[in-house]
Amino acid sequence: MRPAPEKKPQKLPRVLTADEFRRFYQIVDRASDVQHALMLRLVFYTGVRVSELCRIEVADVDLEACKIFVNQGKGSKDRYVLFGKGFATALRTHIAAHPTNRWLFQTRRNSKFTPRRVQQIVKQHAEEAGVNATPHSFRHQCITFLTRNSGLADAELQLITGHARRETLAIYQHIALDGELEGKYQEAMGKVGL
């Protein structure tokens, strides 16, 4: 009988503190590239993987319904991701300013961005902001924020985020420990009297 394969240790993803998150986007906003600012906001708002971001076509964006079709995401699965109504105006303006674009975010050479290029853009802004972040950090940031603040059920989060297993979302519950939960814990433990 073969021994069971060893389980990989499960590490919690790192998310930025509120201050680090704010600093990062302040640096992004000071930069001169509006397209980069939109792209990096979309990564957070939708929680898409960087490879999925690079493949978004203009035709995949539904500005009225505030959703984007992710064609063949991880595991060759199609899904929709959502974005806020306030962000729809910025995307509408971006799309109108680039009427011949095939890709939502396109390079000067009229090709789609590569995941490596997006990683370089994030790294540049992160270093300037003095934070440790990758494009995937903002996926974790989005899912943690939704876990903490949205009231969405795990099954709903699973649909939006494209996780194959609901159990994977459990790690975000650990990260999302917020002040209210910590306050309840401290209050309860304060009654022990040891």
Side-chain angles (χ1 to χ4, degrees):
M1 190 163 139
R2 293 170 61 188
E6 272 189 50
K7 283 188 175 183
K8 290 182 185 175
Q10 186 176 15
K11 291 178 69 174
L12 292 178
R14 186 187 179 291
V15 295
L16 301 177
T17 65
D19 181 57
E20 290 172 331
F21 183 75
R22 202 172 7 269
R23 264 197 340 258
F24 177 83
Y25 281 101
Q26 285 171 345
I27 293 297
V28 169
D29 289 342
R30 279 190 227 142
S32 60
D33 198 317
V34 175
Q35 179 172 240
H36 289 179
L38 286 172
M39 183 169 48
L40 297 179
R41 276 186 169 68
L42 187 76
V43 168
F44 168 70
Y45 286 143
T46 62
V48 292
R49 297 171 180 93
V50 68
S51 60
E52 295 168 342
L53 171 78
C54 294
R55 290 194 316 267
I56 296 172
E57 296 186 32
V58 172
D60 297 331
V61 181
D62 184 338
L63 293 167
E64 298 306 314
C66 295
K67 65 183 180 180
I68 297 172
F69 178 69
V70 175
N71 186 13
Q72 298 293 290
K74 185 175 178 181
S76 299
K77 294 179 184 162
D78 295 343
R79 75 177 194 285
Y80 283 97
V81 293
L82 306 174
F83 57 88
K85 291 180 181 179
F87 191 64
T89 302
L91 281 181
R92 185 176 281 111
T93 302
H94 172 71
I95 290 169
H98 303 92
T100 60
N101 277 14
R102 172 183 175 189
W103 308 102
L104 180 58
F105 300 111
Q106 208 161 283
T107 68
R108 290 185 199 115
R109 293 184 179 135
N110 295 325
S111 62
K112 63 185 174 182
F113 278 85
T114 64
R116 179 73 186 122
R117 179 64 185 126
V118 177
Q119 290 166 349
Q120 291 169 342
I121 292 165
V122 170
K123 182 179 180 182
Q124 174 190 345
H125 293 305
E127 285 176 354
E128 194 175 335
V131 301
N132 185 13
T134 67
H136 209 70
S137 302
F138 297 98
R139 175 172 168 77
H140 296 314
Q141 202 82 28
C142 170
I143 299 168
T144 301
F145 183 83
L146 290 173
T147 300
R148 183 179 289 154
N149 298 296
S150 71
L152 291 168
D154 283 353
E156 294 166 322
L157 275 172
Q158 185 182 0
L159 282 173
I160 293 170
T161 62
H163 279 105
R165 296 182 5 227
R166 196 177 300 174
E167 298 81 40
T168 308
L169 292 173
I171 64 172
Y172 295 100
Q173 293 167 345
H174 291 285
I175 299 169
L177 289 176
D178 60 10
E180 184 180 331
L181 179 60
E182 291 169 5
K184 289 177 183 177
Y185 172 84
Q186 295 300 338
E187 182 181 336
M189 293 307 278
K191 295 175 184 176
V192 171
L194 288 177

